[in-house]
């Protein structure tokens, strides 16, 4: 019996990682040389990757096993100018209608367009307290790694796996390896968690995390608020990792306390006691360790067509001729040709047409506040378009209560309803061919934000500074 051997191995009194603790506590069954069956605590669903999964249940005569552990929201295909379904393209309209019908038929709770809690799936889970330490969380979306900021094992799954989880509340998974990434030193002025993750991806590449779950640690990580930690874990997938993790601490507990779905009363005390033990033990063995000193880190920005093509904002565009690896040289040459950038030129001062502030990476309150701190009483550059798209309707309401929407509007930006929006070029929120954007989202692939569009990934601070300058700008030049 492979499973007996598995659990016996776990009971050995030796230091274990945070990942090990979550994995072992959720392993339903494990045979040697086979994937494990993991119990899934929370399944988040959206309209793009769920229609085929619901159809599969219907064809097999199956029900949703645990509707109480499932939450659906509309985010990818939603309009941002208004909330009328007729304002979106036909395929998006159909997806939204199918989601409503499927959730009604199968008894799955749905945050539809009219729901005050609706928003991007990886924003609303934490803000309503569904995301909790020690959980296993899945969603048919690669950026599910976001929830790892709470000390949860969270990862994206495919549509067939969405169906499997809906039907069984479990999932077959190969056990990944573990990687510890320690950021040392204090965050310099103008440097944010977005810059940390872009610096890591630059160092290890988009394949550097393949096969691993990354745990982030270090004093600089501990100093981050929950919004910033979610940004860090969100882009773990861009390094190829299965998931990102940060062990929960008092900052985590303070964030969760009092949220609608967080434990209450005696349940809170009991949960807190369990959560406080969720950390990697001293001496726990990781398959790989990386240490990055951020003391002299500059704000980061990408220049190419994948997230590893990043550089300090005060540096120059690299020359492919200086790249010794022929594969990387060809990739860099192709990327610069697409981006129409000249090697050796400074990144600062490169022209832009659009600034996008939003997404599951940087659409939370801290992100909006940091951008607004630069834009207050200022005007964005003439001819530049800036879209500000909150990550959820709750974020939108809070931002409006704080007057952030007025700061953005007075500066000349557009203030929208929540949704994925320009992150993946939905419903008209997209670049035109040849346009350049500084974007706070997570991917800069060719055409990701519109056919022929060119994307520079950066932090909200860098995005705001660039909006004011009308070209790529160093946020440190705008910080008082």
């Amino acid at each position: 019996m492979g499973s007996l051997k598995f659990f016996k191995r776990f009971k050995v009194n030796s230091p274990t990682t945070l990942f090990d603790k979550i994995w072992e506590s959720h392993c339903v069954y494990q045979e040697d040389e086979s994937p494990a069956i993991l119990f899934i605590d929370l399944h988040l669903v959206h309209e793009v990757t769920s229609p085929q999964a619901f159809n599969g249940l219907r064809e097999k005569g199956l029900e949703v096993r645990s509707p109480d552990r499932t939450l659906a929201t509309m985010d990818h295909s939603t309009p941002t100018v208004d909330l009328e379904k007729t304002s979106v393209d036909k395929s998006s309209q159909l997806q939204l209608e199918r989601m409503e019908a499927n959730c009604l038929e199968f008894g799955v709770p749905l945050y539809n367009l009219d729901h005050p809690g609706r928003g991007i799936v990886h924003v609303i889970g934490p803000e309503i307290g569904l995301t909790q330490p020690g959980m296993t969380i899945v969603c048919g979306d690669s950026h599910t790694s976001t929830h790892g900021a709470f000390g949860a094992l969270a990862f994206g799954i495919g549509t067939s796996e969405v169906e499997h989880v809906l039907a069984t509340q479990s999932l077959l998974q190969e056990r990944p390896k573990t990687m510890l990434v320690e950021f040392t030193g204090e965050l310099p002025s103008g440097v944010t968690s977005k810059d940390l993750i872009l610096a890591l991806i630059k160092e290890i590449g988009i394949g550097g995390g393949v096969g691993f779950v990354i745990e982030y640690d270090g004093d600089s990580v501990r100093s981050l608020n929950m919004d910033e930690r979610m940004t860090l874990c969100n882009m773990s997938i861009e390094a190829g990792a299965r998931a990102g993790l940060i062990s929960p601490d008092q900052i985590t507990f303070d964030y969760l306390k009092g949220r609608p779905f967080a434990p209450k009363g005696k349940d809170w005390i009991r949960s807190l006691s369990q959560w406080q033990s969720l950390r990697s033990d001293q001496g726990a063995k990781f398959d790989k360790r990386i240490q990055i000193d951020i003391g002299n880190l500059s704000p980061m920005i990408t220049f190419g067509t994948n997230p590893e093509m990043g550089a300090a904002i005060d540096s120059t565009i690299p020359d492919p001729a200086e790249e010794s690896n022929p594969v990387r040289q060809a990739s860099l040459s192709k990327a610069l040709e697409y981006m129409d950038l000249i090697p050796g030129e400074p990144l600062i001062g490169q022209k832009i047409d659009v600034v996008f502030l939003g997404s599951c990476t940087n659409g939370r309150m801290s992100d909006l506040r940091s951008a607004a701190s630069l834009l207050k009483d200022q005007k964005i550059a003439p001819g530049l378009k800036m879209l500000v798209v909150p990550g959820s309707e709750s974020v939108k309401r809070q931002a409006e209560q704080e007057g952030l929407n007025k700061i953005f509007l007075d500066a000349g930006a557009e203030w929208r309803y929540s949704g994925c929006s320009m992150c993946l070029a939905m419903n008209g929120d997209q670049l035109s061919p040849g346009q350049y954007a500084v974007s706070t989202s997570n991917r800069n692939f060719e055409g990701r934000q519109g056919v022929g569009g060119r994307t520079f990934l950066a932090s909200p601070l860098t995005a705001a500074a660039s909006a004011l300058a009308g070209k790529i700008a160093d946020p440190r030049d705008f910080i008082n």
Side-chain angles (χ1 to χ4, degrees), residues 309-332:
M309 295 181 183
I313 199 164
D314 49 5
S315 64
T316 59
I317 298 165
D319 188 344
E322 297 176 0
E323 175 58 62
S324 58
N325 183 309
V327 175
R328 293 174 64 88
Q329 184 184 79
S331 177
L332 181 56

Side-chain angles (χ1 to χ4, degrees), residues 1 14 47 87 91 102 109 129 155 165 178 187 189 224 278 285 293 297 308 318-319 383 393 433:
M1 295 289 289
S14 59
E47 72 274 16
S87 71
S91 63
N102 285 331
F155 49 88
V165 177
T178 55
L187 278 174
S189 175
L224 300 175
L278 285 172
K285 292 184 178 180
D293 183 358
L297 186 66
E308 79 175 44
D319 188 344
E393 290 303 290

Side-chain angles (χ1 to χ4, degrees), residues 202 300-306 308-324 328-329 331-337 339-348 350 456:
K202 176 182 183 295
M300 298 288 293
I301 192 165
T302 62
F303 55 81
T305 53
N306 70 51
E308 79 175 44
M309 295 181 183
I313 199 164
D314 49 5
S315 64
T316 59
I317 298 165
D319 188 344
E322 297 176 0
E323 175 58 62
S324 58
R328 293 174 64 88
Q329 184 184 79
S331 177
L332 181 56
S333 295
K334 183 175 182 292
L336 294 184
E337 181 181 356
M339 294 293 290
D340 195 19
L341 297 176
I342 301 173
E345 285 193 349
L347 280 160
I348 292 174
Q350 294 294 325
F456 301 104

Side-chain angles (χ1 to χ4, degrees), residues 6-315:
F6 180 84
F7 285 109
K8 183 178 180 181
R9 182 168 65 247
F10 173 60
K11 290 176 182 178
V12 173
N13 188 22
S14 59
T16 54
T17 66
L18 171 59
F19 164 77
D20 292 328
K21 293 176 181 181
I22 301 173
W23 181 277
E24 306 287 0
S25 65
H26 288 79
C27 182
V28 178
Y29 186 79
Q30 170 76 68
E31 288 186 354
D32 292 332
E33 310 300 326
S34 297
I37 301 175
L38 288 186
F39 178 78
I40 303 301
D41 291 305
L42 175 63
H43 186 192
L44 300 168
V45 180
H46 62 76
E47 72 274 16
V48 176
T49 55
S50 65
Q52 301 95 323
F54 281 113
N55 283 342
L57 295 184
R58 196 175 289 112
E59 291 168 0
K60 297 178 181 70
L62 299 173
E63 298 180 351
V64 173
R65 175 69 180 268
S66 300
D68 58 323
R69 293 183 178 272
T70 311
L71 178 69
T73 188
M74 296 176 171
D75 59 1
H76 282 61
S77 301
T78 56
T80 61
V81 176
D82 59 44
L83 294 181
E84 296 298 320
K85 289 180 186 174
T86 52
S87 71
V88 301
D89 60 62
K90 289 185 178 180
S91 63
S92 296
Q93 187 173 348
L94 179 61
Q95 286 177 332
L96 297 174
E97 290 171 354
R98 291 304 305 161
M99 167 66 88
E100 207 139 23
N102 285 331
C103 288
L104 180 63
E105 178 181 349
F106 287 93
V108 172
L110 170 65
Y111 285 14
N112 63 12
L113 288 179
D114 300 323
H115 197 288
R118 185 191 63 80
I120 302 176
V121 65
H122 308 311
V123 175
I124 68 170
E127 72 183 9
I128 62 178
L130 274 178
T131 301
Q132 297 171 20
M135 279 186 163
T136 50
I137 301 173
V138 298
C139 175
D141 187 283
S142 59
H143 293 102
T144 308
S145 55
T146 306
H147 306 263
F150 291 80
L153 178 57
F155 49 88
I157 57 176
T159 296
S160 61
E161 293 174 310
V162 171
E163 179 185 340
H164 192 276
V165 177
L166 287 173
T168 68
Q169 206 58 36
S170 66
L171 188 65
L172 285 170
Q173 279 292 290
E174 295 282 356
R175 188 185 187 111
K177 295 180 289 187
T178 55
M179 179 191 299
L180 179 65
V181 173
E182 293 181 280
F183 290 104
T184 61
E186 293 185 11
L187 278 174
S189 175
V191 175
T192 70
S193 61
K194 183 66 165 286
D195 303 302
L196 298 188
I197 190 63
L198 286 175
L200 173 65
I201 298 169
K202 176 182 183 295
E203 177 162 325
I204 69 174
I206 55 174
V210 171
F212 289 91
V213 166
I214 300 175
E215 180 175 340
Y216 300 100
D217 205 356
D219 291 342
S220 51
V221 172
R222 292 287 149 210
S223 71
L224 300 175
N225 63 37
M226 290 310 300
D227 287 359
E228 294 165 327
R229 293 180 186 189
M230 283 187 264
T231 296
L232 195 60
C233 288
N234 173 276
M235 288 190 66
S236 302
I237 187 69
E238 308 307 338
R242 192 72 179 106
L245 276 173
I246 298 174
S247 61
D249 57 16
Q250 195 58 47
I251 292 174
T252 318
F253 309 145
D254 291 343
Y255 177 97
L256 282 171
K257 191 171 185 179
R259 294 189 181 267
F261 288 93
K264 305 290 191 299
K266 292 182 179 179
D267 288 338
W268 171 261
I269 296 172
R270 188 181 306 111
S271 296
L272 190 60
S273 177
Q274 295 171 348
W275 295 344
Q276 288 169 337
S277 68
L278 285 172
R279 64 177 62 87
S280 291
D281 300 329
Q282 190 74 26
K285 292 184 178 180
F286 290 85
D287 296 294
K288 189 173 184 178
R289 289 175 178 261
I290 294 174
Q291 193 172 79
I292 298 178
D293 183 358
I294 64 168
N296 295 315
L297 186 66
S298 296
M300 298 288 293
I301 192 165
T302 62
F303 55 81
T305 53
N306 70 51
E308 79 175 44
M309 295 181 183
I313 199 164
D314 49 5
S315 64

